[in-house]
Each structure stands twice: as structure tokens, then as C-alpha cells.
Amino acid sequence: GAGVSQSPSNKVTEKGKDVELRCDPISGHTALYWYRQSLGQGLEFLIYFQGNSAPDKSGLPSDRFSAERTGGSVSTLTIQRTQQEDSAVYLCASSLYIGMNTEAFFGQGTRLTVV
Amino acid sequence: AQTVTQSQPEMSVQEAETVTLSCTYDTSESDYYLFWYKQPPSRQMILVIRQEAYKQQNATENRFSVNFQKAAKSFSLKISDSQLGDAAMYFCASSYGGSQGNLIFGKGTKLSVKP
């Protein structure tokens, strides 16, 4: 696609339920990043993919969070047994390659509300 | 570890005037990049401008320019001839060679533009 696409745009879920957030990066971008933006806060880095591989998962807040990427394209961030503190905007970004100077292109995010 | 600090939670500017947003950072890295991102209500982060630490010349993109003071670890954004469309959250961010491209963000500055 022309840009990074995330779905759903908004998600309301009950505490304890599992949710899946989807990110469709720009075609040809090998690097993919997930960030979490809580109310009034900056963006918190969660995980990155180089191709289908996630070399460092230490940014994930707890073992309830997991992510995968298939075919070097679509990525899914899964949150199990959601808690109210998981409420936030989850942003995905992709870039042509891994590197400190590469421009990251962001999606519009998924606003997750846990009630 | 790198940190990015934005000390102005909110700023306001009159249309057509100039405004400067502040950002300071802390790093022990010798090479790194600094960025300003804009986040309008649509939530999509948009790259405004970037600066490589090794380059002494301040980056400029049309009405947007930076004042990069490496010794002071300061990276401010100047917006000239402010327009109503400039109203948004502005985030300062950094990346370095070991960060694998993931960005470290400040908490943001909300910019309002008065007609």
C-alpha cells in the first residue's frame, strides 16, 4: 500500500480478553517497529522486526504481550488477558532498512480501550 | 542509555509568527540522529526534520529549522510564519547506532496556533 496501515483504528475490549492489533507496512520495508503511546506520554518502544525476526523482545511490557511478523510483511501485536493499564494508542512504523538514519513511516495507530 | 526531554508541555503562537520548541537530550554516543516529528489529531506521526550529530550545519526544511547545539545537547525546532495547520503535538526523538533504528521520544509539546 501507499502507507502504513493499522487495524482496527479503535478497539474497546473487556478486561481479561485477548486482542490482536494488525500492522501492514509499506511494501518493501524490511524494518517494522511497534510503539505504545499512553495518555500524556511520549512513545514507548516495544519491539522491532528485521524481516520476520525480532532480535530483542525486552521492550515488551510483560509476557502478556507478543508479536509476530510473517512473509516479511504484516505484523500482529497480541495482548493476552488485557488489563486497564494496557489502554493506549499502539503505533506501528516501518522503514526501508534497520539504521539510525532511516526515516520511519508511521501508521495512524490503534486506540485500545480496556473497560 | 539515551534520554530526550521536552520541558514545554504546551506552547501557543499567533498565526504568521515564529515559535521555538525546546528539546534536550543526553547520550554517551558519538554518532546519533535527532528528529522532530509532528502528530496531528489523526495520530499519524510525520517526520518534520532530522539532523545528524556529525553535521554542524543546522537542518532546514522550508519553514522549519533547528538550532543544534551539540555541546549543550540541545535541539530546538523553530517554526517560522506559523500556519493553522501547524497545530499538533511535536515530538523530539533520537536514535543511535546501537538502537537498531528504534526511536527514543520525548513526551511532546502541544502547539496551538491562534488565528
Side-chain angles (χ1 to χ4, degrees):
Chain A
V4 178
S5 178
Q6 291 188 247
S7 61
S9 180
N10 294 282
K11 175 72 175 179
V12 179
T13 189
E14 291 181 353
K15 179 182 173 182
K17 295 285 179 76
D18 297 352
V19 295
E20 284 189 353
L21 312 181
R22 176 187 168 106
C23 173
D24 202 340
I26 293 173
S27 178
H29 281 194
T30 61
L32 186 147
Y33 305 85
W34 283 98
Y35 294 87
R36 179 170 70 175
Q37 184 176 21
S38 302
L39 188 63
Q41 300 295 314
L43 277 70
E44 171 192 12
F45 168 73
L46 298 179
I47 192 170
Y48 80 94
F49 288 88
Q50 184 168 15
N52 293 332
S53 174
D56 181 6
K57 300 181 180 179
S58 62
L60 295 175
S62 75
D63 57 9
R64 297 185 295 103
F65 287 72
S66 63
E68 66 174 12
R69 188 180 185 193
T70 55
S73 182
V74 173
S75 176
T76 302
L77 178 68
T78 301
I79 309 173
Q80 295 179 310
R81 306 181 302 281
T82 51
Q83 302 295 312
Q84 288 187 330
E85 60 262 29
D86 299 334
S87 296
V89 174
Y90 291 81
L91 289 163
C92 174
S94 70
S95 59
L96 199 55
Y97 53 86
I98 294 284
M100 64 174 173
N101 63 335
T102 182
E103 180 176 354
F105 294 83
F106 284 80
Q108 292 186 313
T110 294
R111 181 181 298 280
L112 175 66
T113 303
V114 182
V115 297
Chain B
Q2 287 194 325
T3 60
V4 176
T5 302
Q6 293 179 253
S7 59
Q8 305 156 317
E10 296 188 23
M11 291 284 284
S12 180
V13 64
Q14 204 73 32
E15 194 175 7
E17 296 294 310
T18 296
V19 64
T20 298
L21 308 184
S22 301
C23 173
T24 58
Y25 62 94
D26 192 17
T27 182
S28 58
E29 301 292 328
S30 59
D31 196 17
Y32 49 91
Y33 272 75
L34 297 165
F35 306 82
W36 279 98
Y37 276 86
K38 172 184 177 181
Q39 187 181 40
S42 68
R43 302 196 304 241
Q44 187 172 23
M45 302 281 279
I46 302 164
L47 178 64
V48 174
I49 199 165
R50 62 181 154 183
Q51 172 88 39
E52 183 178 8
Y54 269 116
K55 291 188 176 179
Q56 295 189 357
Q57 186 174 4
N58 289 325
T60 299
E61 289 286 344
N62 300 315
R63 298 182 295 108
F64 299 87
S65 62
V66 298
N67 183 5
F68 176 45
Q69 301 289 325
K70 191 172 183 178
K73 295 182 179 176
S74 171
F75 182 62
S76 60
L77 174 70
K78 186 172 83 170
I79 306 174
S80 304
D81 186 25
S82 297
Q83 300 175 359
L84 295 177
D86 295 334
M89 285 290 293
Y90 285 83
F91 291 93
C92 181
S94 70
S95 69
Y96 60 98
S99 67
Q100 302 302 323
N102 63 282
L103 296 162
I104 301 157
F105 285 88
K107 291 189 176 182
T109 297
K110 183 177 181 180
L111 178 66
S112 301
V113 180
K114 297 179 181 178

